[in-house]
Amino acid sequence: MNTYLGASTLLGADDLDEKLIQSGQTLFLEGYLFDRDEAKAAFVRAAEIARAAGRKVSLTLSDTFCVDRHRDSFRHLVSGHVDILFCNESEILSLYESDDLGDAVAQARKACPLVAVTRSEHGSLIATKDETVEAKAFPVAKVVDTTGAGDQYAAGFLFGYTRNKSLAECGALASLAAAEVISHMGPRPETSLRELAQKHGLSV
């Protein structure tokens, strides 16, 4: 995937809508936008606005290439401004320059209150300071297109998290949303996720 983000790459602190950030329960930061110094400053400022309003801040690392380019800046952001970190196995290994997942997760949970690591067909690990929860992947008859899987995972997780679901429930909702989107072309669900969750006995 050769990503072109257009005008989004010009994100700066002046583009932030403070009232909008303050009104949401959880701010979601997209790592793909983290290239320019102006964008990095905007990320930090947005996180400060959210936290000052008593909101949570979540971040997805987006891509290993992003982490490789901006490792130190990402570490600073994660350790000082992020409450929920979303990443896949390769991204967290790159972030902490480790070849051992357990070691990388141990470093991450010291820096960030909640870390969710996706592992494709192996499900995901959700780690806090005090516990680690393993969420199983939902079976998919055929993987058609993985575009959007990480974003759907984060969406499902945050849906549960903002409704005070347990980490296990958040992980299940996240896995279900990701499974739906990889079963067809395109990054958006083609089935009602609410109905799908209810079908699988998940409370929504």
Side-chain angles (χ1 to χ4, degrees), residues 64-136:
T64 305
F65 295 117
C66 295
V67 180
D68 290 342
R69 286 196 302 270
H70 308 291
R71 183 174 293 108
D72 290 342
S73 296
F74 268 127
R75 283 190 183 181
H76 172 262
L77 184 67
V78 170
S79 64
H81 302 280
V82 173
D83 301 295
I84 306 168
L85 176 64
F86 294 106
C87 53
N88 64 28
E89 191 167 351
S90 297
E91 291 159 0
I92 196 171
L93 292 176
S94 174
L95 183 64
Y96 292 105
E97 297 180 282
S98 176
D99 58 4
D100 180 83
L101 180 59
D103 172 66
V105 171
Q107 292 188 66
R109 73 199 310 169
K110 291 178 182 178
C112 184
L114 196 159
V115 183
V117 184
T118 58
R119 305 180 65 210
S120 299
E121 70 273 16
H122 301 297
S124 61
L125 295 176
I126 303 162
T128 66
K129 180 180 178 181
D130 301 315
E131 65 177 322
T132 300
V133 174
E134 293 190 30
K136 294 182 179 179

Side-chain angles (χ1 to χ4, degrees), residues 47 54 58 61 76-77 80 111 113 125 127 137-138 141-142 166-167 184 198 200:
S58 63
L61 293 181
H76 172 262
L77 184 67
L125 295 176
F138 276 84
K142 181 181 180 181
S166 68
L167 293 182
H184 56 76
Q198 292 171 340
H200 286 275

Side-chain angles (χ1 to χ4, degrees), residues 17-37:
D17 185 331
E18 293 195 18
K19 290 184 178 179
L20 183 62
I21 293 171
Q22 292 166 346
S23 69
Q25 284 182 260
T26 304
L27 175 68
F28 183 72
L29 300 174
E30 174 62 69
Y32 275 129
L33 303 181
F34 200 62
D35 266 323
R36 298 166 65 249
D37 288 341

